[in-house]
């Protein structure tokens, strides 16, 4: 029999707040984390807004690794993991001595280092590259940063399935503990706001000018965002033995790939992924109380997600909201933040809102986006959606521990 797996620690480093209390309060207040871009010179872009983490100070948050030796995404991952471990209240020596590892999702990895190396090469040729900067490039360093920061000697896996990567990571970590292949795991995702992503989504025509309004009739697109999202996982038996606070249980997950189009989501495949997640979690659609949406705010994504939801849940699906309206699209960290929001919703009995919502879309009937204000609710089962370019779909199911 597989072991039951629970979430006992949360580590958000985000544009709306760092740490559990700040993040939860911002979700409940529907606070926007969108501001003018400062990570790079965006003056040449018509659109210059993103969800950047304000006043991020890795030197104040990290205890083991030297921030100057690691890129911004790795710093976010390690800082979020450090917060999650502290929130879990576990003895660091016990953690380091156990079968403990990490799995971190990302889209661009350390794209900031690649951008700076490109600038150096254009200016002075290959010989002008900084060796220490080149060392920061491999995306594998995100999970390695977590393990080094916490002294973990188990797996250090980075998954780069784009914007569903954190759900892949959460599913991976869940499976390792459920199968008794690990005692403790850090799962989540990390991403920075980088020029390449901002430019790419702008050229794709998928970007909004100044705010993201998922599921709204007049939605224009997404905004890029950044941060680190980490969840601390262990077996239910371990959590009870430690007397740990349990936020939620990971009931299961579903994965599939459309494999049909690079950027166009496939509602049929997404619906199948939902059914797969329900089956593996041992729940039925009518038991799901709330859906934490992928909800990018682009016309295509929201329409496809809605069609898939209605295909699985019928004409009256459960409430579905998008925290990207507050955070922006944090790419590889997105479904990690969704998992944190879902766990907080279960533990503190509320649904996060979709802010910036003004007009119901007649082409998406039956959708309840939890418009603009958080809603009190007992959440027994929550579905956390994650979809990505290339058709990589990943859905995790969290539940109230009973």
């Amino acid at each position: 029999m597989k072991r039951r797996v629970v979430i006992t620690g949360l580590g958000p480093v985000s544009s709306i707040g760092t740490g559990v209390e700040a993040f939860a309060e911002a979700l409940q207040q529907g606070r926007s984390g969108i501001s003018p871009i400062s990570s790079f010179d965006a003056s040449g872009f018509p659109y210059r807004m993103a969800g950047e983490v304000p006043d991020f100070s890795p030197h104040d948050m990290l205890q083991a690794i030297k921030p100057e030796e690691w890129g911004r995404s790795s710093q976010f991952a390690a800082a979020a993991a450090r917060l999650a471990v502290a929130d879990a209240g576990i003895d660091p020596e016990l953690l380091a001595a156990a079968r403990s590892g990490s799995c971190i999702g990302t889209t661009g990895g350390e794209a900031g280092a690649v951008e700076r190396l490109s600038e150096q090469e254009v200016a002075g040729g290959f010989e002008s590259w900084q060796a220490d900067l080149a060392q920061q490039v491999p995306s594998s360093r995100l999970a390695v940063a977590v393990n080094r920061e916490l002294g973990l000697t188990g797996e250090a896996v980075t998954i780069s399935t784009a914007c569903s990567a954190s759900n892949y990571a959460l599913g991976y970590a869940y499976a390792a503990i459920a199968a008794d292949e690990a005692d403790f795991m850090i799962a989540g995702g990390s991403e920075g706001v980088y020029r390449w992503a901002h430019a790419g989504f702008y050229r794709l025509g998928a970007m909004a000018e100044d705010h993201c309004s998922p599921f709204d009739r007049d939605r224009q697109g997404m905004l890029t965002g950044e941060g680190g999202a980490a969840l601390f996982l262990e077996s239910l038996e371990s959590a009870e033995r430690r007397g740990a606070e349990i936020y939620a249980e990971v009931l299961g997950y579903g994965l599939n790939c459309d494999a049909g189009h690079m950027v166009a989501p496939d509602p049929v495949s997404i619906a199948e992924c939902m059914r797969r997640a329900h089956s593996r979690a041992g729940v039925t659609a009518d038991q799901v109380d709330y859906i934490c949406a992928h909800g990018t705010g682009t016309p295509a994504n929201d329409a496809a997600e809605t069609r898939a939801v209605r295909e699985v849940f019928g004409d009256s699906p459960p409430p579905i909201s998008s925290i990207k309206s507050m955070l922006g699209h944090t790419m590889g960290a997105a479904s990690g933040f969704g998992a944190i929001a879902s766990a907080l919703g279960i533990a503190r009995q509320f649904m996060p809102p979709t802010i910036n919502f003004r007009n119901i879309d007649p082409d998406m009937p039956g959708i309840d986006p939890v418009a603009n204000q958080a809603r009190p609710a007992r959440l027994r089962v929550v579905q956390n959606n994650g979809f990505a370019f290339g058709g990589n779909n990943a859905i995790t199911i969290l539940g109230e521990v009973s």
Side-chain angles (χ1 to χ4, degrees), residues 90-398:
I90 189 168
D91 182 343
E93 293 185 2
L94 170 63
L95 179 63
R99 299 176 301 169
S100 306
S102 66
C103 189
I104 304 298
T106 191
T107 294
E110 294 296 4
V114 176
E115 290 176 357
R116 289 161 62 193
L117 288 170
S118 299
E119 292 170 357
Q120 291 174 6
E121 185 165 355
V122 169
F126 177 78
E127 294 77 10
S128 68
W129 271 23
Q130 292 176 245
D132 58 343
L133 190 58
Q135 290 176 352
Q136 295 179 12
V137 170
S139 295
S140 58
R141 285 171 60 89
L142 271 65
V144 171
V146 171
N147 278 32
R148 289 196 184 178
E149 173 64 19
L150 300 174
L152 311 184
T153 57
E155 293 183 89
V157 179
T158 303
I159 293 179
S160 57
T161 48
C163 302
S164 59
S166 286
N167 262 353
Y168 274 86
L170 183 56
Y172 187 98
Y174 157 81
I177 295 175
D180 197 14
E181 295 176 353
D183 298 316
F184 307 105
M185 289 290 290
I186 303 290
S190 180
E191 208 77 56
V193 165
Y194 300 124
R195 182 190 301 273
W196 76 273
H198 187 82
F201 281 103
Y202 174 76
R203 289 297 300 271
L204 190 62
M207 185 169 285
E209 182 173 1
D210 53 17
H211 69 275
C212 177
S213 51
F215 304 112
D216 188 274
R217 180 194 65 193
D218 303 317
R219 63 193 182 279
Q220 297 178 343
M222 52 155 285
L223 296 171
T224 55
E226 68 176 6
L231 301 95
F232 186 84
L233 276 62
E234 61 187 300
S235 70
L236 175 61
E237 180 183 15
S238 169
E240 291 178 336
R241 185 170 59 247
R242 294 196 306 115
E245 176 187 356
I246 297 174
Y247 287 98
E249 181 175 0
V250 183
L251 300 177
Y253 65 99
L255 309 173
N256 70 0
C257 182
D258 304 346
H261 195 283
M262 189 62 192
V263 299
D266 181 350
V268 175
S269 181
I270 291 171
E272 174 56 31
C273 190
M274 292 180 188
R275 294 188 184 99
R276 187 171 299 181
H278 295 167
S279 176
R280 295 190 64 177
V283 302
T284 56
D286 63 300
Q287 291 177 296
V288 176
D289 297 309
Y290 163 69
I291 301 170
C292 189
H294 187 61
T296 63
T298 62
N301 174 90
D302 293 3
E305 188 166 12
T306 296
R307 286 197 293 273
V309 165
R310 287 174 55 82
E311 170 68 23
V312 173
F313 292 91
D315 294 337
S316 299
I320 175 171
S321 68
S322 173
I323 63 173
K324 290 182 180 66
S325 59
M326 295 176 264
L327 295 167
H329 194 341
T330 55
M331 310 295 169
S335 50
F337 282 121
I340 292 176
S342 298
L344 284 169
I346 290 169
R348 304 192 181 188
Q349 301 191 347
F350 75 96
M351 300 178 192
T354 302
I355 67 170
N356 306 317
F357 188 87
R358 296 181 177 86
N359 299 295
I360 295 173
D361 189 336
D363 293 330
M364 298 191 295
I367 292 300
D368 174 4
V370 194
N372 300 315
Q373 293 185 333
R375 186 180 303 168
R378 182 181 178 187
L379 304 180
R380 297 174 180 83
V381 178
V382 172
Q383 174 177 312
N384 180 39
N385 289 349
F387 314 130
F389 283 179
N392 288 301
N393 305 314
I395 294 172
T396 50
I397 307 294
L398 307 186

Side-chain angles (χ1 to χ4, degrees), residues 46-63:
Y47 297 168
R48 307 183 187 93
M49 305 293 281
E52 294 180 322
V53 178
D55 303 321
F56 175 60
S57 179
H59 288 89
D60 293 335
M61 299 185 69
L62 300 175
Q63 300 175 21

